[in-house]
Amino acid sequence: GSPASAGRLTVPAVSPCTAVSLCTCVRRSSSPTFYKWSEQNDPVMGGQSSGNFSVVEQGSESYGLFQGTVRNVSFLHAPGFCRFTTVFPGGKHENAAEFLEGGLKITLRHRHAGGHGGGHGGRGEEYQGFKVAVSSPGASHHHGGHELFGMYKANFNVEGRPDSRDGWMDVLIPFRSMSSDWSDFTGECATKDPDGYQHKCCETGREPVCPNAKTMGTINGFSIWAEGTAGDFALEVKSISAVRRG
């Protein structure tokens, strides 16, 4: 069942604000703290992917819309990425150590690219390259990584039946499925880079690439990626929550 409010750390994708400032809210209580999301694409590394993130106001409901197209990066000879991300300002962090044996719950709707949205159809294949990442100052950087903070990343898919008639569904990504050692070429932890380096996944929960209580105690950002798979994508995100197992 749904965890009690004391058992989750919730990060709604958008707050009830009206300005398209891409603000978000991190809360453990009724007192909200606001952060901003930004959208980034692989042209920073020579790619041609394009995407955008916007706030959708629909009656009393608001959510984030992440959409675009992932294209091949010529010098990588592989598909690039789009992502929307937030890093908490002023060195702030959130303590999610108590949820280490649980995971991230993302409440989302999938739009078939080119369809009519709302999770209710539209033609086209479901995009297969979605990933989520949690950043922490204590997380190790992946091989060849140049980000300011290390981050734990894992795949998630949007297949399955919606949990409600309006199309929203909850996707759970266990923290123990996330690895800090993911490839710039694929976004995956199980692939080998052209230089011969074999990336490492979190398999038992005890490997150095796995999240641990210390690093989960200093979460300072999140990001959702469309990466490593070429194609159009569109995703609506209502909230991101850290939840306990069960």
Side-chain angles (χ1 to χ4, degrees):
S2 299
S5 59
R8 65 184 176 189
L9 170 64
T10 303
V11 186
V14 290
S15 72
C17 60
T18 55
V20 185
S21 60
L22 310 188
C23 58
T24 185
C25 163
V26 176
R27 69 169 183 263
R28 273 184 179 274
S29 64
S30 58
S31 301
T33 303
F34 294 95
Y35 301 107
K36 291 185 178 181
W37 293 99
S38 62
E39 201 277 343
Q40 300 168 345
N41 306 312
D42 58 29
V44 298
M45 51 190 287
Q48 297 182 330
S49 299
S50 59
N52 62 79
F53 177 78
S54 59
V55 174
V56 177
E57 300 285 345
Q58 195 171 62
S60 61
E61 183 177 68
S62 62
Y63 53 86
L65 172 59
F66 176 44
Q67 60 186 343
T69 303
V70 176
R71 299 181 176 89
N72 283 343
V73 179
S74 57
F75 79 91
L76 293 179
H77 306 292
F81 72 88
C82 301
R83 70 174 180 176
F84 71 97
T85 183
T86 185
V87 174
F88 306 159
K92 183 176 175 58
H93 63 263
E94 293 290 336
N95 185 350
E98 65 188 279
F99 307 104
L100 179 60
E101 300 303 326
L104 280 184
K105 183 182 76 174
I106 306 175
T107 301
L108 56 80
R109 286 192 304 209
H110 181 237
R111 289 190 180 196
H112 291 292
H116 300 291
H120 299 299
R123 298 180 179 178
E125 298 292 328
E126 290 184 337
Y127 183 74
Q128 298 294 314
F130 288 121
K131 297 173 175 64
V132 64
V134 176
S135 63
S136 168
S140 58
H141 287 74
H142 65 281
H143 176 72
H146 49 268
E147 290 82 8
L148 183 60
F149 302 106
M151 62 179 70
Y152 300 104
K153 186 186 285 190
N155 299 325
F156 68 91
N157 65 60
V158 294
E159 298 175 352
R161 296 186 62 178
D163 300 317
S164 59
R165 294 184 62 184
D166 58 4
W168 293 107
M169 62 188 298
D170 292 332
V171 175
L172 180 66
I173 304 98
F175 286 123
R176 295 300 196 186
S177 71
M178 297 182 174
S179 172
S180 62
D181 187 28
W182 44 273
S183 171
D184 273 333
F185 293 84
T186 64
E188 306 281 343
C189 65
T191 55
K192 182 181 290 188
D193 285 352
D195 65 3
Y197 178 82
Q198 175 63 57
H199 289 270
K200 302 174 182 66
C201 296
C202 179
E203 297 179 348
T204 68
R206 297 186 297 271
E207 292 87 354
V209 300
C210 301
N212 57 61
K214 182 177 180 180
T215 56
M216 292 299 293
T218 55
I219 289 176
N220 67 346
F222 296 92
S223 53
I224 290 181
W225 303 58
E227 181 182 28
T229 300
D232 299 329
F233 64 89
L235 192 69
E236 298 169 341
V237 180
K238 182 184 285 187
S239 68
I240 304 172
S241 305
V243 298
R244 293 192 178 97
R245 182 171 57 185

